Amino acid sequence: SQQGEEDPQALSIQEGENATMNCSYKTSINNLQWYRQNSGRGLVHLILIRSNEREKHSGRLRVTLDTSKKSSSLLITASRAADTASYFCAPVNDYKLSFGAGTTVTVRA
Amino acid sequence: EAGVAQSPRYKIIEKRQSVAFWCNPISGHATLYWYQQILGQGPKLLIQFQNNGVVDDSQLPKDRFSAERLKGVDSTLKIQPAKLEDSAVYLCASSLAAGGANTGELFFGEGSRLTVL
């Protein structure tokens, strides 16, 4: 199964700033999902974007998908301390969903 | 709605001992996943069940790991004998269904942290 590769590996921003992270994958997908993991906790689903969608919003989150480039991006606007976490993309091909190493985001007060 | 329940939360064992983890998915969820997450890495799928049948166990080290999902509800993951490199968090997740574009969001438990000494 393929997995997403997130970039950058780590990101440190000031509260109120925007955070952008990218995901690349290798084969065709049915959909792509983003998850957040706070330290010592399980993963929490953030957003799902289908292969025929190009952009999706959910609160302060904006996800884009470019299937021609096999890439996706997650933008968190007006970041808060509570956004400090690891973020994982998960491309879905058929029934298989795999995770990359993630982007660790630190939001400084 | 109750979430995915996992136990125990923490377990410390000596190498070559055995350990078992239990997961109770969200009621009505057909698909159940076990992931292994080593510190600093992303979760790696060990096994995926659809009801009580195995969909994917290609990354499960079958010489020491086993998993079952009796009656298509809760599941047990066992490691016997454990090695040092099995130290990780074992995450259980469930979803309503899996298949093509219908593979929707996964709901994760808090995980079981295993330390092998």
Side-chain angles (χ1 to χ4, degrees):
Chain A
S1 59
Q2 70 166 327
Q3 63 186 49
E5 292 183 16
E6 295 89 348
D7 174 67
Q9 286 186 326
L11 188 57
S12 180
I13 55 173
Q14 201 75 30
E15 207 165 19
E17 292 181 338
N18 296 343
T20 300
M21 59 211 85
N22 303 296
C23 169
S24 60
Y25 56 91
K26 291 188 168 57
T27 66
S28 63
I29 60 170
N30 300 114
N31 67 64
L32 186 142
Q33 303 178 29
W34 285 91
Y35 287 79
R36 182 189 74 230
Q37 184 177 36
N38 292 93
S39 181
R41 308 296 296 273
L43 280 74
V44 174
H45 182 266
L46 294 177
I47 200 163
L48 180 156
I49 186 164
R50 297 192 183 279
S51 59
N52 61 353
E53 296 176 312
R54 291 297 166 258
E55 188 171 311
K56 204 159 182 181
H57 296 254
S58 176
R60 294 183 297 109
L61 305 180
R62 172 179 170 253
V63 167
T64 63
L65 179 65
D66 187 334
T67 52
S68 66
K69 294 181 179 177
K70 293 186 171 56
S71 67
S72 174
S73 68
L74 170 66
L75 168 69
I76 305 172
T77 60
S79 63
R80 306 168 180 168
D83 295 327
T84 294
S86 292
Y87 293 81
F88 298 91
C89 73
V92 178
N93 180 277
D94 194 11
Y95 55 80
K96 296 185 177 183
L97 187 154
S98 298
F99 297 90
T103 293
T104 299
V105 175
T106 303
V107 181
R108 306 186 308 272
Chain B
E1 178 184 82
V4 175
Q6 288 190 247
S7 67
R9 282 297 313 274
Y10 305 94
K11 189 75 176 179
I12 300 174
I13 60 173
E14 302 274 337
K15 61 183 178 183
R16 291 188 289 274
Q17 286 187 324
S18 63
V19 63
F21 302 111
W22 174 82
C23 172
N24 190 29
I26 292 173
S27 177
H29 280 196
T31 307
L32 185 147
Y33 311 76
W34 282 103
Y35 285 88
Q36 179 193 58
Q37 187 175 25
I38 292 170
L39 188 63
Q41 299 181 17
K44 180 182 100 173
L45 179 68
L46 292 176
I47 190 166
Q48 178 178 341
F49 292 95
Q50 179 90 2
N51 296 309
N52 59 350
V54 175
V55 172
D56 184 354
D57 64 355
S58 57
Q59 297 191 91
L60 185 74
K62 298 180 186 64
D63 57 335
R64 298 183 302 105
F65 286 65
S66 65
E68 59 182 10
R69 189 183 185 197
L70 298 175
K71 300 180 182 177
V73 182
D74 55 352
S75 176
T76 302
L77 175 71
K78 295 180 182 176
I79 308 174
Q80 182 179 15
K83 292 185 176 181
L84 296 177
E85 58 260 36
D86 298 332
S87 292
V89 176
Y90 292 86
L91 295 163
C92 179
S94 69
S95 66
L96 270 173
N102 293 322
T103 301
E105 72 175 283
L106 272 59
F107 295 81
F108 281 82
E110 295 289 2
S112 294
R113 182 178 297 276
L114 173 66
T115 302
V116 182
L117 303 176

